Amino acid sequence: MALIKENLVRIREKVFETCMKTGRNPEEVKLVAVTKTLPPEVIEEAHNYGIDIVGENKVQEMVDKLEYLKNLSLEWHFIGHLQTNKVKYLVDRVELIHSVDRLKLAKEINQEWAKKDKQINVLIQANISGEASKFGINEEETMSLVKDISGLCNINITGLMTMAPYTETPEEVRHVFSGLRLLAERIRQENIPGVKMQELSMGMTNDYEVAVEEGATLIRIGSGIFGERHYR
Ligand SMILES: *Cc1c(COP(=O)(O)O)cnc(C)c1O
């Protein structure tokens, strides 16, 4: 795992260069290390190299690792598909949920955080592929979901998240990232009380440079840091 350090150096350099090229402040771009499938020891190592935000996509897996690593000052983000019956396990554990895509889920989140009289920051996950898809919500659905969720007192919407289709040629998915940025701008113009559009969670190992060019503030990188996963 000695490669982790080198990979991180390379990614941070790329982010820095991309920001310089596009006139962005590199501090606006936070790296979420996607640690799904990896043992806690590896997360500990990454933490030694400056990783302070980790992203997980399975609730039970995250809870187990967090228990093992509770003495490290890490910020945990949930980035995967979330079932309503698992929401309760995230309370007091996560700082940000990237993947809110339906009102029923938002209501459940709101209810669980209300029990603790706390607020949770969430991102709305939108599907910006431009083609009809069975998965995810399109731009209009995202707009109305944001409006519906904005009424829930224990949830703060702080931005949007998207996943681009996998491609060998990241240029091909630039429109997905610019589409998310434009959608966030449209939502911002609506001035919906309690809704901020400060985060754009977009860009993974294959396409993060293009995503940063298009305004990403959270890039979610797994295999680019830790090497190829053999599953999921
Ligand atoms: C796995 C995963 C990533 C990271 O993917 P890599 O290609 O390994 O960088 C990012 N976001 C989500 C939602 C994921 O599930």
Side-chain angles (χ1 to χ4, degrees), residues 34 36 57 79 161 163 204-205 220-223 229:
V34 177
K36 60 187 182 196
N57 71 339
I79 63 171
M161 180 271 226
M163 263 172 106
M204 314 191 344
T205 296
R220 311 178 310 268
I221 302 187
S223 50
R229 287 178 303 276

Side-chain angles (χ1 to χ4, degrees), residues 3-228:
L3 278 179
I4 294 177
K5 191 174 175 183
E6 292 163 33
N7 289 341
L8 282 171
V9 168
R10 203 188 54 249
I11 291 165
R12 289 185 175 118
E13 267 171 17
K14 280 273 177 238
V15 169
F16 186 85
E17 283 167 16
T18 308
C19 285
M20 290 300 110
K21 207 171 66 182
T22 49
R24 297 192 60 198
N25 176 356
E27 293 186 5
E28 281 170 21
V29 184
K30 284 164 283 177
L31 174 58
V32 179
V34 177
T35 49
K36 60 187 182 196
T37 77
L38 295 164
E41 293 79 8
V42 174
I43 302 179
E44 205 166 4
E45 184 182 347
H47 181 69
N48 291 335
Y49 305 136
I51 284 299
D52 49 12
I53 309 177
V54 292
E56 289 280 340
N57 71 339
K58 297 258 162 33
V59 173
Q60 187 60 50
E61 186 182 330
M62 193 202 82
V63 168
D64 292 344
K65 290 180 202 175
L66 211 157
E67 178 58 25
Y68 186 92
L69 297 169
K70 61 184 170 212
N71 295 325
L72 294 189
S73 74
L74 281 173
E75 194 177 303
W76 295 76
H77 290 189
F78 193 81
I79 63 171
H81 178 75
L82 182 54
Q83 291 169 269
T84 47
N85 63 343
K86 302 266 173 71
V87 166
K88 55 178 178 285
Y89 303 110
L90 296 184
V91 182
D92 290 332
R93 292 195 167 101
V94 295
E95 228 78 31
L96 182 67
I97 302 173
H98 291 229
S99 45
V100 174
D101 57 359
R102 56 203 194 277
L103 186 58
K104 183 169 182 269
L105 173 63
K107 284 181 171 165
E108 180 68 20
I109 293 171
N110 191 64
Q111 199 175 345
E112 288 300 326
W113 263 265
K115 284 181 190 167
K116 299 269 174 147
D117 201 17
K118 285 182 178 163
Q119 308 266 317
I120 175 74
N121 291 343
V122 308
L123 309 179
I124 306 303
Q125 180 171 356
N127 179 31
I128 317 272
S129 68
E131 53 204 59
S133 164
K134 278 195 294 183
F135 301 105
I137 52 173
N138 67 29
E139 307 195 13
E140 291 323 306
E141 289 164 339
T142 304
M143 178 65 88
S144 59
L145 183 61
V146 167
K147 288 177 179 164
D148 290 341
I149 295 178
S150 69
L152 302 173
C153 305
N154 297 78
I155 293 187
N156 303 315
I157 298 177
T158 57
L160 302 178
M161 180 271 226
T162 199
M163 263 172 106
Y166 177 84
T167 170
E168 296 282 334
T169 338
E171 219 31 74
E172 284 174 6
V173 292
R174 181 181 294 277
H175 69 100
V176 172
F177 303 135
S178 58
L180 195 73
R181 171 168 48 74
L182 293 170
L183 178 58
E185 278 165 21
R186 268 183 60 205
I187 294 172
R188 196 178 295 122
Q189 280 162 12
E190 300 271 320
N191 282 319
I192 307 164
V195 174
K196 291 185 200 130
M197 282 289 131
Q198 48 198 20
E199 306 289 0
L200 290 175
S201 169
M202 56 189 197
M204 314 191 344
T205 296
N206 255 12
D207 52 23
Y208 71 90
E209 288 168 62
V210 176
V212 169
E213 285 172 7
E214 294 298 336
T217 65
L218 290 160
I219 52 175
R220 311 178 310 268
I221 302 187
S223 50
I225 301 173
F226 302 106
E228 285 302 322

